[in-house]
Amino acid sequence: MASRSSAAEDSVEVEVIHDSTAADRLAPGENAVIHDSALPDRATGEDEAPVKAAPERHESPVRRKPRGRWWRGFTGSVAAGLAVLALGVLVVGVLCLVNGAPGPGPLKLVGHPVAAVIALVLQRIADRRVGKAAVGAGAGVLVVAGAAFSLLWWF
């Protein structure tokens, strides 16, 4: 059974609630101290320690957006695109080998998967770090993609 008691200190009303289910009925902005047990505010026996009040619950309606979400999404898309491209080049290489047709050379068959693995490792770093390390790893993904594009497709 929930018990409630009120106390006024310095013209701020604080409500002490001894049951967490009763805390759900609080109005927004109402201050309360919540105890999860049905014990009274003060211990009555000599052997019992006084019950300490739980910290007040403050819920903010405004949530901050994580920073760098656009950058991580963009570099993640580039890294994933490199991985898909590497798989495509390998599939075309195998099909050309089976059919006896000329296909991508060994540089392209090795270079695409290597570039994809490097980009995915850098993207993993960018996803798990914050600050300059995340920005640097994301820039590294773009550098690897640019190098793979220029070296493996133009030359």
Side-chain angles (χ1 to χ4, degrees):
M1 185 163 92
S3 65
R4 298 173 80 140
S5 62
S6 296
E9 296 176 4
D10 296 333
S11 73
V12 175
E13 188 165 325
V14 176
E15 192 166 2
V16 178
I17 301 172
H18 297 287
D19 187 8
S20 60
T21 58
D24 296 334
R25 294 185 295 248
L26 288 174
E30 190 175 0
N31 293 329
V33 178
I34 302 167
H35 296 281
D36 282 332
S37 64
L39 295 174
D41 286 344
R42 295 181 186 90
T44 56
E46 294 176 14
D47 296 338
E48 298 178 21
V51 177
K52 292 184 179 177
E56 291 184 7
R57 179 177 57 170
H58 297 284
E59 296 177 7
S60 175
V62 179
R63 293 186 69 191
R64 290 184 54 192
K65 285 185 177 180
R67 296 182 68 195
R69 195 158 83 186
W70 180 86
W71 177 252
R72 286 185 176 117
F74 175 67
T75 58
S77 298
V78 171
L82 275 175
V84 170
L85 179 63
L87 288 174
V89 168
L90 289 175
V91 166
V92 167
V94 168
L95 289 176
C96 289
L97 182 65
V98 169
N99 292 328
L107 178 64
K108 290 183 180 180
L109 288 174
V110 172
H112 280 91
V114 167
V117 167
I118 292 171
L120 290 172
V121 167
L122 286 171
Q123 182 59 37
R124 182 177 170 107
I125 293 169
D127 285 341
R128 286 169 172 45
R129 303 274 174 97
V130 293
K132 292 179 182 178
V135 172
V141 169
L142 297 180
V143 167
V144 168
F149 178 68
S150 63
L151 293 174
L152 299 174
W153 286 89
W154 282 348
F155 300 111

